[in-house]
DNA sequence: TTGTACGCGTTATCAG
DNA sequence: CTGATAACGCGTACAA
């Protein structure tokens, strides 16, 4: 399909043109062993005049190195994950390709993509799992491609493979505590899907803070799914009764949905109601009023992930590392 | 590196286990020609018990099809491009991988990435070029991998390969016109880098609208580089004299920078000053006041791009298509 | 319907 | 230092 009769230029053509063997060409190209200067020049000349490009598939087949890493995240268009990817890119060499895919928070789609990705086309897989594929993931890591888990860490995989995650429990704990400290009497919590380890841990953190610092707080909960729409629905739900004095959304997208809904209902954030979000909201600082949030710094997380990947690439049998990154609390004021 | 002594499971192992030939296994796996039911079952059984995964590199080497498309954009973290990618993903088959890279608006980096990507690892390249690599791109397309240009269309490449771009001239024209119609007397324009075809065309569109509809408008210009920071600098620049009655930023990021700076200076957008943006601003509608903008619909553009890719994949010699998509004007009101 | 055997483009091993 | 040549894992003529 690529060629229509027209053959590709191969290392053989270069060898013939330069009057050397394919082995010598390969050595010049990879610097794998010394070659006489004159031949080096002849080869380089042949390469440029012929417009030769090495064939990645052949090289991968031979060396068992793909020079690529795979990245599988639940939502490719979530700025949080994009920043992580950007961070990974920051630290990887330029000739390393990023093979990306998005599971759309769908376990089945994730499984299919895991199969495609495990066809030996990547050297390492960075995965923020949608959940439900622990066995498949374990298999891939054990007898296939090393896996680095990010963001989500299913219990059964902890300490089995490398991971870089946030300290969801304590970050959520501190977020809730900072709101409790304002003296609120009632609080609405918008949860993520409990199948995601992050959602569960954030929920636990909130509840722990409440138990310790405000056991008599009137708490109402809504169980969303990390989407903007579920944040909107949560607010509609809360407003069926008296509005709580504060509201806390356990991810950025739900926070956007919830806050926009509140604004539409005439609430002034920070005055009529206190708002908290796990994760910053893009551009919020420009237009919004007060917001308390967990500052996630995804790009930094990405860089750290990149370094973990490199380490694993260098030594497949290095000790498993589990990074748990503590986040900062932030407050925007207009 | 991948294996440490441990051989991979190949089609040969499957064949031996199932007691058939490798050819039969291949036929079962690809459905390339009929196989007796009993053998099909034996093979499938062998595949699952052995945990066999086809080797993508070997298949690519043999078939000259990579089952992957490359995407090279100037900024991987710009939501605009992410939505385009999402759109492409929407229409591509699940077993098609996306190989992504970001040139960071840097011609040299783009060139290196183009080289890496042209190593026969993708079947088609979707490219939003940073400029300055026209010759390389032409070569890749002509005797290598078909290229689909998106967003940016260098003059020398127009009608040479497929393209999907916006109607930058007329969209900018209409944006400017809609602001002129408000009866403003002065306008500040924030341009992008003239090396990008989009920036140039948008500038032309604005100027044409002014010549036609308000030749005596007091116009001031600032030449930015599509970054948020340059939008901020533009406003600082304009405010050294009397503020213009209206301001227009010719991409989304510069608009964010400009508007936030204006807000910091105490301006109320839509009241003290009219604001226009080429491209919507994420979440603006939720918190901001009035804004006139060109609605880009990148996801739709992405889907269209995906279809162009598929068409090109089916017939390498199909006629070249150039899609120029007209955008809508939008206005947000609080 | 099935099996044999060759070649895709590289790198690596082994002689020279 | 250099050159033959054997793999790498797969698909596919060709033969049976």
């Amino acid at each position: 399909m690529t060629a229509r009769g027209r053959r590709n230029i191969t290392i053989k053509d270069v060898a013939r043109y330069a009057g050397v063997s394919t082995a010598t060409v390969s050595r010049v190209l990879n610097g794998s062993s010394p070659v006489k200067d004159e031949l080096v020049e002849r080869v380089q000349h042949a390469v440029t005049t012929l417009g030769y490009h090495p064939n990645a598939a052949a090289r991968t087949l031979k060396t068992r190195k793909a020079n690529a890493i795979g990245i599988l995240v639940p939502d490719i268009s979530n700025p949080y994950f994009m920043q992580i990817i950007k961070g990974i890119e920051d630290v990887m060499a330029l000739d390393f390709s990023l093979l990306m895919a998005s599971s759309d928070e769908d376990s089945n789609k994730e499984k299919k993509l895991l199969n495609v990705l495990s066809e030996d086309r990547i050297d390492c897989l960075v995965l923020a799992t949608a959940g439900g594929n622990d066995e498949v993931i374990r298999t891939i890591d054990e007898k296939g491609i090393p896996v680095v888990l990010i963001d989500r860490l299913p219990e059964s995989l902890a300490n089995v493979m490398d991971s870089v995650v946030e300290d969801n429990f304590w970050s959520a704990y501190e977020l809730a505590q900072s709101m409790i400290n304002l003296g609120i009497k009632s609080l609405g919590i918008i949860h993520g899907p409990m199948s995601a380890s992050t959602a569960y841990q954030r929920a636990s953190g909130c509840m722990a803070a409440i138990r310790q610092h405000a056991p008599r707080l009137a708490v109402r909960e809504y169980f969303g799914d990390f989407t903007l729409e579920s944040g909107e629905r949560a607010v509609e739900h809360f407003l069926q009764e008296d509005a709580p004095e504060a509201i806390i959304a356990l991810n950025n997208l739900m926070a956007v949905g919830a806050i926009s809904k509140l604004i539409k209902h005439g609430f002034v954030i920070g005055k009529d109601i206190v708002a908290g979000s796990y994760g910053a909201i893009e551009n919020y600082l420009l237009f919004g009023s007060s917001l308390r949030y967990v500052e996630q710094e995804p790009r930094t997380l990405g860089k750290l992930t990149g370094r973990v990947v490199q380490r694993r690439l260098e030594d497949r049998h290095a000790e498993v590392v589990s990074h748990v990154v503590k986040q900062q609390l932030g407050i925007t004021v207009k």
Side-chain angles (χ1 to χ4, degrees), chain A residues 165-167 170-171 174 295 297 324-328:
Chain A
V165 298
E166 297 181 9
D167 192 346
W170 281 107
S171 296
E174 291 189 355
E295 175 68 62
E297 301 194 54
V324 179
V325 180
K326 185 66 169 53
Q327 317 297 138
Q328 298 293 322

Side-chain angles (χ1 to χ4, degrees), chain A residues 86-136:
Chain A
K86 189 94 178 165
I88 296 176
E89 215 196 14
D90 284 342
V91 303
M92 298 303 290
L94 208 58
D95 65 338
F96 246 81
S97 304
L98 300 190
L99 209 54
M100 300 210 7
S102 175
S103 66
D104 296 335
E105 296 282 9
D106 176 345
S107 287
N108 291 323
K109 188 170 175 196
E110 177 173 290
K111 193 177 206 164
K112 285 178 192 150
L113 289 169
L114 284 172
N115 280 325
V116 174
L117 287 172
S118 48
E119 292 182 0
D120 285 3
R121 63 177 91 212
I122 54 178
D123 300 316
C124 180
L125 173 64
V126 174
L127 171 65
T129 177
N133 289 312
D134 294 9
E135 265 321 300
V136 184

Side-chain angles (χ1 to χ4, degrees), chain A residues 138 141-142 147 153 155-162 320 322:
Chain A
R138 181 194 295 269
D141 179 72
E142 277 175 4
V147 176
L153 180 53
E155 264 187 55
S156 85
L157 299 178
N159 300 319
V160 174
M161 54 199 81
D162 294 328
V320 168
S322 302

Side-chain angles (χ1 to χ4, degrees), chain A residues 292-311:
Chain A
R292 274 145 208 280
Y293 64 97
V294 175
E295 175 68 62
Q296 296 182 285
E297 301 194 54
R299 185 137 179 189
T300 308
L301 246 55
K303 289 187 183 180
L304 175 55
T305 303
R307 271 180 249 114
V308 171
V309 168
Q310 290 176 323
R311 176 172 167 283

Side-chain angles (χ1 to χ4, degrees), chain A residues 227-252:
Chain A
T227 64
L228 194 142
E229 291 71 26
S230 72
E232 295 178 337
R233 285 196 298 272
V235 166
E236 293 293 4
H237 173 76
F238 289 145
L239 292 186
Q240 284 172 1
E241 303 177 24
D242 282 349
E245 292 180 23
I247 204 161
I248 195 168
L250 290 176
N251 92 330
N252 53 355

